[in-house]
Amino acid sequence: MQPGLWLLLATQLAALRGSSVLQQAPGSVMVQTNGMVIMSCEAKTSPTSTRIYWLRHRQAPSPDSRYECLAYWDPIKGIVYGQEVEPEKLTVFPDATRSILNLTSVKPADSGIYFCMTVGSPELTFGKGTRLSVVDVLPTTAQPTKKPTPRKKMCRPPSPVTPKGPSCGLLTLGLLVAGVLVLLVSLGVAIHLYRLKRRARLRLLKQFYK
């Protein structure tokens, strides 16, 4: 079997089951165009000298959908790049039992699934993959709709009821006027009766002395 075909089949199997030996993070990431991405791959049971390779399976919108070897770290040579890889955009460096992949100035064509891999004898071990999505505009998270705070009902004091009909002041004044009129009439009648009595008395006296 050709090495390229073997690598293709092995990578497709890794996408389905992955390996607990190689712990790859993050599982998925979305970044904006010209952004930066950092991925890590840790070999749990392998010695620190284990060489960790980074692979990529390009996906839409790239028309070139295939598996390709990106780079790996060599203790003597340093970073060894694969074919058609832009060194200014991709960096690999070791960190104890981990391998760090740093991508800068990413484009939508860089979208795909990134795998880390170790070469054993005779098997290949793969990480579970990191799905990278590069978009021009990041989706916005919808803000939760705030419910309007119900207004508290204010208890208003009952408005004073205005009594219908004439007011107390006018009624009292009317009574006073009526009382005064009654007194004047009574006084007039009394004076008139006094004068009548006096005239009658004077008449009697005149008749008596005649």
Side-chain angles (χ1 to χ4, degrees):
M1 182 179 293
Q2 296 181 0
L5 182 59
W6 165 247
L7 178 61
L8 175 61
L9 294 176
T11 308
Q12 289 177 339
L13 291 175
L16 295 176
R17 58 186 181 88
S19 172
S20 59
V21 177
L22 292 178
Q23 292 192 356
Q24 190 173 340
S28 62
V29 60
M30 178 180 291
V31 296
Q32 199 167 0
T33 302
N34 296 323
M36 182 181 67
V37 182
I38 296 178
M39 306 177 193
S40 66
C41 181
E42 183 175 3
K44 282 293 186 181
T45 60
S46 301
T48 56
S49 60
T50 300
R51 181 179 295 174
I52 297 178
Y53 296 82
W54 284 96
L55 310 174
R56 174 173 59 195
H57 179 206
R58 291 183 182 271
Q59 293 180 327
S62 173
D64 187 13
S65 180
R66 61 186 176 86
Y67 293 90
E68 57 182 331
C69 179
L70 296 177
Y72 63 90
W73 174 264
D74 184 89
I76 299 176
K77 299 179 181 179
I79 302 176
V80 179
Y81 293 97
Q83 296 180 356
E84 301 179 0
V85 175
E86 301 177 30
E88 63 274 7
K89 292 180 55 176
L90 188 148
T91 305
V92 175
F93 58 91
D95 180 17
T97 59
R98 295 193 307 167
S99 176
I100 307 299
L101 174 64
N102 187 11
L103 300 174
T104 59
S105 302
V106 293
K107 305 295 182 183
D110 296 320
S111 299
I113 302 178
Y114 290 71
F115 295 96
C116 59
M117 178 190 73
T118 58
V119 179
S121 178
E123 63 181 8
L124 303 177
T125 304
F126 291 85
K128 294 185 178 181
T130 297
R131 182 179 296 275
L132 172 63
S133 300
V134 183
V135 295
D136 292 330
V137 180
L138 292 175
T140 57
T141 304
Q143 297 295 330
T145 304
K146 294 183 178 180
K147 295 183 179 180
T149 304
R151 295 183 178 180
K152 295 182 179 180
K153 294 183 178 180
M154 302 297 293
C155 295
R156 297 182 179 179
S159 57
V161 179
T162 305
K164 296 181 179 180
S167 62
C168 294
L170 293 177
L171 183 60
T172 303
L173 181 60
L175 292 175
L176 289 176
V177 172
V180 172
L181 291 176
V182 171
L183 289 176
L184 291 176
V185 171
S186 300
L187 181 59
V189 171
I191 294 174
H192 181 68
L193 291 175
Y194 174 77
R195 289 180 178 178
L196 291 177
K197 288 182 180 181
R198 186 178 180 184
R199 289 178 182 177
R201 184 180 180 183
L202 291 175
R203 287 177 183 177
L204 289 175
L205 289 176
K206 287 180 179 180
Q207 291 178 1
F208 181 78
Y209 287 109
K210 284 182 178 181

